[in-house]
Amino acid sequence: MSTQPTTARHSVTRNSRRKFLLDSARAGGAATLLALGVGLYSRQSVSLPASAIRPPGALDEDDFLGACVRCGLCVRDCPFDTLKLATFGDKVTTGTPYFTARDVPCEMCDDIPCVKACPTGALDHSLENIDNARMGLAVLIDEENCLNFQGLRCDVCYRVCPVIDKAITLEMKHNARSGSHALFIPTVHSDHCTGCGKCERACVLEDTAIRVMPFELAKGELGHHYRWGWKEKSKAGKSLVAPDVEHQYNMPQGQSYDLQGEGLIIEGKNAAGADDASPFGGSPLDTLNSNNFNTRGAQE
Amino acid sequence: MNQTHAARHPGAEAIADKGWLAANKWLLARRGSQLSILLLFMLGPWFGIWLIKGNLSSSLILETVPLTDPYILLQSLFAGHTLESTAIIGALIVSAFYILLGGRVYCSWVCPVNIITDTAQWLRDHFKITGASSLSRNTRYWILAATLILALVTGGIGWELVNPVSMLHRGLIFGMGLAWFIIFAVFLLDLLVSRRAWCSHLCPVGAFYSLLGTHSLIRIRADARDQCDDCMDCFKVCPEQQVIRPALKGHLKDSTEIIGPVITSSNCTNCGRCIDVCAKDVFHFGLRSNNTVNHTTNSKNINKQHNHSSGVEVL
């Protein structure tokens, strides 16, 4: 009788210790399984679809996902209902704010209310000038359908750009199709484009030819050892390779060539004079089209 | 109503003794609290009355007072983010509230999922669905730790991808998407798989608030425990059954140590349902302090205990 309680107590403690360990292992196992599942799911869902743009001032996507508490205060303070919270099942991480520029672009409010509303700093409060926002980068992605690339003067993306003439400029190029017209190519400059998406929204095409893309998709990166020769030269004030050689053209007598000025200079002739003995007509295009060069080559 | 049927239904005796309203007052107050908090958040999107903006994760009252869920903030810290002061102030306000009133007051008086799981439990009782998993109630603390480790490892707040609590509240205010699937899964889990599986076994949000309220001021007390007639009604309705026994019986199962009448376990959600269903008015809301044992009133229990302790009870 006297030994029995002791052994029983031993078996109780052993049993309860065993039960405790088993319970803990089971609970720990369940938690680990859950964490693994959620972890894998979170790895999958970190890649933001290219069409979803974060609000101004958003940290880098990785940091953003650790900082954003999914409260929606930025959404509430957006006066244009641009921002929305991703719901479960969206391709954007559940509960985080984004906008789709083709639907509603960012209006680039001067006081940036969405950033002010963010309680955690997932939208960086140091962003005080909206022109410094870098939500993404507009890319004229479809040159085949862009009207300006065909020589038309659509210019809508350029006109609506809030940073007009800095973020988008029209670059004049020769129109090789007509031969006599210009192309005004809308050209985005990454040092000024905020990624607001107004150009994407405004594009008159059925589907837009200019799209705001995440920076990492839109931008390449120069080899770190690359140097642009002309920039280095102007920085140094002289050629860095060898002393510049004076340019010489071996021209027929009485003719000279001015590379960055008038071009061909025929002495004693007015540059505008067309009725002379020159084989070239007044219009360079006529000359090219008349095939003069080929026929002369054949006669000789 | 058939008397025997009524007697089997927890709280029936209380209704007979105190009247329906008095026997359901804390339940009604709780539903009122849950729904009015939800309504406060909905006033903005529905009627344009912006008393409070945001959701339970973080919000702003009258454009001035910030509130932030300290649990999500902790995950953000683990993810390596340096926080803005607004969120820290908001989390301090919320923490102070729950440290005083009981951490899991969040679960029973605020959390919208509670309505879902209580409904599941009500149906479970109604259709007499039995079966409890052997999963420990401590699993939630493991999951809580796992969510923090997840944040630390991935650098993101991974738990928020699937958290039914924030997902339901955010969904009701900002749009649910497919979140109903997760909510329905929680409902089915509690209805068919295991009793009180989500709120009392798995939910790391509840686990966090439970830890937050470990020393909370407001507690449920069983000061009139010598009135207890062992009807088991409080035990049947309690979502955290294990918390009642020490305070009610004055001792643990296999111990002679006498325990005061305060339900000290931080897993108690302060829902007050035990107060409702007790016909003998054993329980009431009170303070944590003055948790002393009155030896004369507890002599009955102590005698019981001595009878028990002669035999060894294996769990």
Side-chain angles (χ1 to χ4, degrees):
Chain A
M1 276 303 279
S2 61
T3 56
Q4 204 189 351
T6 340
T7 41
R9 208 173 297 130
H10 271 300
S11 93
V12 167
T13 46
R14 203 167 54 235
N15 269 329
S16 60
R17 191 186 302 132
R18 188 184 148 78
K19 183 170 158 23
F20 172 78
L21 286 174
L22 206 64
D23 279 354
S24 301
R26 212 183 274 157
T32 311
L33 272 180
L34 190 85
L36 269 177
V38 174
L40 284 174
Y41 174 55
S42 78
R43 291 316 303 161
Q44 275 200 327
S45 64
V46 287
S47 52
L48 197 64
S51 61
I53 307 169
R54 293 291 185 205
L59 304 175
D60 286 344
E61 188 63 9
D62 279 350
D63 295 334
F64 183 78
L65 290 179
C68 172
V69 295
R70 289 86 155 141
C71 67
L73 285 172
C74 54
V75 176
R76 287 293 177 236
D77 279 11
C78 173
F80 298 96
D81 287 340
T82 301
L83 296 174
K84 42 193 175 173
L85 286 191
T87 59
F88 187 67
D90 280 353
K91 284 178 184 145
V92 182
T93 305
T94 309
T96 56
Y98 73 104
F99 68 98
T100 311
R102 188 64 169 167
D103 299 338
V104 193
C106 172
E107 296 288 340
M108 287 176 62
C109 310
D110 278 336
D111 53 345
I112 331 181
C114 50
V115 171
K116 290 211 178 98
C118 179
T120 64
L123 306 181
D124 193 342
H125 288 213
S126 64
L127 177 71
E128 282 170 346
N129 179 358
I130 189 65
D131 288 343
N132 295 332
R134 292 293 177 269
M135 295 169 263
L137 181 60
V139 181
L140 206 160
I141 209 160
D142 188 356
E143 298 181 356
E144 291 175 341
N145 284 313
C146 171
L147 299 182
N148 272 40
F149 263 86
Q150 309 311 314
L152 281 75
R153 292 299 303 271
C154 163
D155 297 1
V156 166
C157 54
Y158 164 75
R159 292 285 166 206
V160 299
C161 178
V163 202
I164 185 169
D165 282 326
K166 287 182 188 159
I168 302 187
T169 56
L170 292 177
E171 300 294 324
M172 195 165 72
K173 302 263 163 67
H174 173 62
N175 184 342
R177 180 177 56 81
S178 76
S180 55
H181 299 93
L183 301 176
F184 289 86
I185 303 298
T187 307
V188 180
H189 303 278
S190 63
D191 44 353
H192 286 108
C193 175
T194 64
C196 73
K198 294 210 75 160
C199 52
E200 179 174 343
R201 175 76 186 95
C203 179
V204 301
L205 299 185
E206 201 67 22
D207 195 3
T208 179
I210 189 165
R211 293 167 201 264
V212 175
M213 311 278 281
F215 255 87
E216 62 274 18
L217 283 184
K219 283 291 281 180
E221 192 176 359
L222 203 61
H224 295 285
H225 60 294
Y226 280 32
R227 298 291 179 272
W228 301 123
W230 59 92
K231 284 187 184 167
E232 297 300 316
K233 184 177 160 187
S234 80
K235 225 191 289 175
K238 62 182 172 72
S239 170
L240 295 169
V241 187
D244 276 348
V245 180
E246 193 69 38
H247 255 300
Q248 286 191 2
Y249 293 97
N250 297 320
M251 305 296 287
Q253 211 169 18
Q255 295 183 9
S256 59
Y257 195 83
D258 183 4
L259 176 66
Q260 287 174 324
E262 296 171 47
L264 185 66
I265 300 163
I266 301 169
E267 278 166 29
K269 289 275 184 293
N270 188 337
D275 52 348
D276 57 7
S278 163
F280 305 113
S283 156
L285 204 65
D286 289 341
T287 313
L288 289 167
N289 289 343
S290 66
N291 245 0
N292 265 350
F293 294 113
N294 294 346
T295 45
R296 282 205 306 163
Q299 280 163 359
E300 281 164 14
Chain B
M1 195 190 261
N2 184 325
Q3 191 59 45
T4 50
H5 175 77
R8 248 185 287 129
H9 183 258
E13 203 186 330
I15 292 172
D17 282 12
K18 303 192 280 189
W20 187 86
L21 203 62
N24 285 291
K25 64 176 181 200
W26 289 112
L27 180 64
L28 291 172
R30 224 153 52 73
R31 291 286 175 260
S33 161
Q34 289 162 339
L35 293 174
S36 37
I37 287 169
L38 203 55
L39 184 70
L40 272 179
F41 278 99
M42 303 303 282
L43 281 179
W46 280 355
F47 309 111
I49 306 166
W50 295 102
L51 298 178
I52 187 165
K53 281 192 297 193
N55 58 37
L56 286 180
S57 299
S58 196
S59 57
L60 194 63
I61 302 173
L62 295 170
E63 301 288 338
T64 40
V65 185
L67 298 177
T68 303
D69 172 17
Y71 173 44
I72 195 168
L73 215 63
L74 190 65
Q75 291 177 77
S76 187
L77 268 179
F78 269 76
H81 177 61
T82 326
L83 296 158
E84 281 287 328
S85 56
T86 317
I88 297 172
I89 294 168
L92 288 177
I93 295 173
V94 172
S95 303
F97 179 83
Y98 289 111
I99 285 171
L100 284 178
L101 286 170
R104 292 203 67 199
V105 160
Y106 177 86
C107 302
S108 56
W109 293 78
V110 179
C111 180
V113 173
N114 178 268
I115 303 177
I116 308 280
T117 54
D118 270 1
T119 308
Q121 184 58 36
W122 184 81
L123 288 170
R124 204 176 156 82
D125 290 340
H126 189 77
F127 292 113
K128 299 195 167 46
I129 303 168
T130 52
S133 88
S134 51
L135 208 56
S136 159
R137 283 176 190 266
N138 287 333
T139 309
R140 52 187 147 191
Y141 296 109
W142 288 89
I143 293 179
L144 174 62
T147 61
L148 295 177
I149 292 168
L150 193 70
L152 191 69
V153 172
T154 64
I157 307 180
W159 174 244
E160 282 307 306
L161 292 173
V162 292
N163 182 0
V165 176
S166 57
M167 203 176 281
L168 178 60
H169 195 256
R170 189 175 55 234
L172 291 170
I173 298 168
F174 289 94
M176 284 296 276
L178 301 179
W180 286 118
F181 283 122
I182 287 200
I183 304 307
F184 191 58
V186 168
F187 175 76
L188 286 184
L189 180 75
D190 266 33
L191 178 68
L192 301 173
V193 179
S194 179
R195 182 181 195 277
R196 300 277 184 192
W198 180 255
C199 298
S200 302
H201 291 81
L202 300 173
C203 180
V205 184
F208 174 84
Y209 278 95
S210 167
L211 293 177
L212 195 64
T214 312
H215 302 289
S216 76
L217 212 57
I218 306 288
R219 296 276 76 192
I220 287 182
R221 302 177 62 111
D223 278 320
R225 60 187 176 189
D226 48 350
Q227 299 291 311
C228 175
D229 60 358
D230 290 327
C231 73
M232 299 291 281
D233 279 3
C234 59
F235 195 73
K236 279 176 200 147
V237 296
C238 183
E240 300 281 354
Q241 294 162 325
Q242 76 284 6
V243 307
I244 296 182
R245 191 189 159 94
L248 184 62
K249 293 296 160 196
H251 60 84
L252 292 171
K253 252 181 189 166
D254 43 11
S255 152
T256 51
E257 195 191 339
I258 301 161
I259 297 166
V262 177
I263 296 183
T264 52
S265 167
S266 61
N267 280 329
C268 169
T269 68
N270 277 6
C271 73
R273 191 68 185 136
C274 53
I275 306 176
D276 276 351
V277 300
C278 181
K280 305 291 176 198
D281 283 332
V282 168
F283 302 99
H284 67 107
F285 274 115
L287 298 177
R288 172 185 292 272
S289 56
N290 196 23
N291 187 19
T292 48
V293 184
N294 186 335
H295 283 275
T296 47
T297 55
N298 286 303
S299 52
K300 194 175 82 177
N301 285 326
I302 295 160
N303 288 339
K304 265 190 201 166
Q305 170 61 33
H306 280 298
N307 295 339
H308 279 299
S309 60
S310 53
V312 174
E313 205 174 350
V314 179
L315 297 173

